[in-house]
Amino acid sequence: MTETVLSETPAEGVRQITMNRPDRRNALDRATYQGLIDALAAADADASIRAVVLTGAGGCFTSGNDIKDFAAAAATGVGAEIAIDFLAAISTAKKPIVAAAEGFAVGIGTTMLLHCDLAFAGRGASFRMPFVSLGLCPEGGSSYLLPLIAGSKRAAELLMLGELFGPEVAQDAGLINGVTEEGGALAAALDKAKALAALPPQSVALTKALLKRGSAAAVAETIGTEARHFGERLKSAEAQAAFMAFLTKR
């Protein structure tokens, strides 16, 4: 069985974590979430690792939650909490995280970027937060963080309408630092991760902690509040109809 999350060390002090379900556009099922949680914990615990690069296999970041897996979780009431565990892990990670997005970054594939310290996207990347169209609500602390960095009007546009947008809009909204040529996001992310790894590690860690200090409590509270509403929406008739329409279309 192929591992759904790969961990490697492409450069001294740099851990690369790759979402590895390219046949499903790296959709996140429970096994993948657990792999990401474990990989982030291992990077934080390894004193030789000073920066983390997060990316996806096969020219795609992630298409978001695996709808089939999520529909099953909604029906049984078991399994949906693993996504919240992942959000807790990425939002409190101590080592700097640099994201490299190509292809699709959908749903939590977009909102997780809010918790990465740096992020780069290839020119062909597509972003979307389709929570409302799926009968759901924002997650990942996005209802707090996105207005903070993008402004209330842009946040409302991206979260309420849930339309597809490109890397230039993502950069303008503060979701990413820069746009590379298509296929160049990983190289850009690795360059920045190497630069971070070459700096005094305690100073880097302290700077990250101080940057998050003012919002950490609000982010944790928002993730929890969103999760409660999200769980309720998963069981709603609107969400079940949206899931069925999606799965039937596929």
Side-chain angles (χ1 to χ4, degrees):
M1 182 177 178
T2 303
E3 291 185 50
T4 60
V5 174
L6 302 176
S7 290
E8 56 188 305
T9 307
E12 184 177 357
V14 176
R15 176 66 46 81
Q16 181 177 319
I17 299 173
T18 305
M19 294 171 279
N20 185 42
R21 298 183 77 204
D23 57 318
R24 299 297 301 274
R25 292 179 176 173
N26 301 321
L28 302 176
D29 61 0
R30 279 168 278 185
T32 309
Y33 273 126
Q34 190 61 59
L36 288 169
I37 292 167
D38 293 344
L40 288 170
D44 262 355
D46 189 338
S48 71
I49 298 303
R50 299 184 176 188
V52 172
V53 169
L54 180 62
T55 191
C60 180
F61 191 58
T62 170
S63 57
N65 285 308
D66 187 308
I67 295 297
K68 184 176 180 180
D69 200 62
F70 240 55
T76 62
V78 176
E81 67 280 354
I82 192 70
I84 309 307
D85 293 341
F86 164 70
L87 289 166
I90 194 170
S91 64
T92 61
K94 294 179 176 60
K95 306 287 175 72
I97 300 173
V98 187
E102 301 280 357
F104 290 103
V106 177
I108 197 168
T110 296
T111 60
M112 74 169 72
L113 297 175
L114 293 164
H115 303 290
C116 296
D117 302 283
L118 301 173
F120 299 89
R123 197 163 300 282
S126 297
F127 303 81
R128 190 184 178 200
M129 293 177 283
F131 307 119
V132 171
S133 63
L134 289 172
L136 301 171
C137 70
E139 43 84 320
S142 57
S143 63
Y144 170 76
L145 287 171
L146 195 58
L148 197 65
I149 66 169
S152 60
K153 296 295 189 296
R154 177 54 64 87
E157 176 187 2
L158 298 180
L159 285 170
M160 288 184 179
L161 292 172
E163 296 170 339
L164 200 69
F165 58 97
E168 291 80 10
V169 172
Q171 184 176 15
D172 183 62
L175 285 162
I176 61 173
N177 293 83
V179 182
T180 73
E181 292 304 314
E182 192 164 358
L186 181 56
L190 285 169
D191 282 346
K192 294 301 183 184
K194 291 174 188 176
L196 286 166
L199 294 169
Q202 292 183 15
S203 184
V204 171
L206 178 58
T207 300
K208 172 167 179 166
L210 289 171
L211 283 167
K212 289 181 171 289
R213 176 176 173 272
S215 61
V219 168
E221 189 277 333
T222 302
I223 288 174
T225 299
E226 289 172 344
R228 288 192 293 275
H229 288 296
F230 199 95
E232 292 168 359
R233 296 303 302 157
L234 272 175
K235 301 171 187 175
S236 71
E238 288 180 339
Q240 290 302 306
F243 292 162
M244 185 59 66
F246 179 86
L247 294 171
T248 301
K249 182 179 178 180
R250 290 193 63 182

